[in-house]
């Protein structure tokens, strides 16, 4: 997740992702890396359709239109935002 979020052209870092819970203590058991509704990672990921990605790490469908735009786009990270 960290590597996919380090896109300096968008200025998104792990601290800016607005995860549900991000403790920054190095213990992944304290984190919930699903995206909050105000995350800049929603609908800002690359198209990974050619790689056969149709589900996120929790098994939810992706992509999902999380911003109300004209069409669905992939979110950055392991979880697709579900409204």
């Amino acid at each position: 997740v960290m590597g996919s979020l380090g896109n300096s052209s968008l200025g998104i870092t792990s601290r800016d992702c607005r995860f549900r819970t991000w403790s920054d203590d190095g213990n992944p058991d304290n984190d919930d890396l699903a995206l909050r509704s105000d995350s800049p990672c929603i609908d800002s990921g690359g198209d990974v359709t050619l790689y056969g990605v149709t589900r996120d790490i929790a098994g939810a469908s992706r992509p999902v239109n999380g911003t109300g735009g004209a069409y669905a786009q992939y979110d950055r990270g392991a979880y697709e935002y579900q409204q």
Side-chain angles (χ1 to χ4, degrees), residues 1-80:
V1 172
M2 295 295 286
S4 67
L5 299 173
N7 186 334
S8 60
S9 66
L10 293 177
I12 299 173
T13 67
S14 58
R15 292 180 186 267
D16 300 327
C17 291
R18 300 187 188 120
F19 297 123
R20 285 187 189 161
T21 306
W22 174 254
S23 62
D24 202 20
D25 65 2
N27 184 348
D29 292 335
N30 296 331
D31 302 329
D32 178 351
L33 301 181
L35 301 174
R36 293 186 344 213
S37 62
D38 62 343
S39 174
C41 296
I42 296 173
D43 290 352
S44 69
D47 185 349
V48 292
T49 305
L50 292 176
Y51 302 105
V53 177
T54 60
R55 302 257 174 219
D56 70 5
I57 197 167
S61 293
R62 72 184 327 179
V64 171
N65 189 338
T67 59
Y71 55 92
Q73 294 178 288
Y74 286 89
D75 297 346
R76 291 174 177 260
Y79 294 94
E80 188 75 11

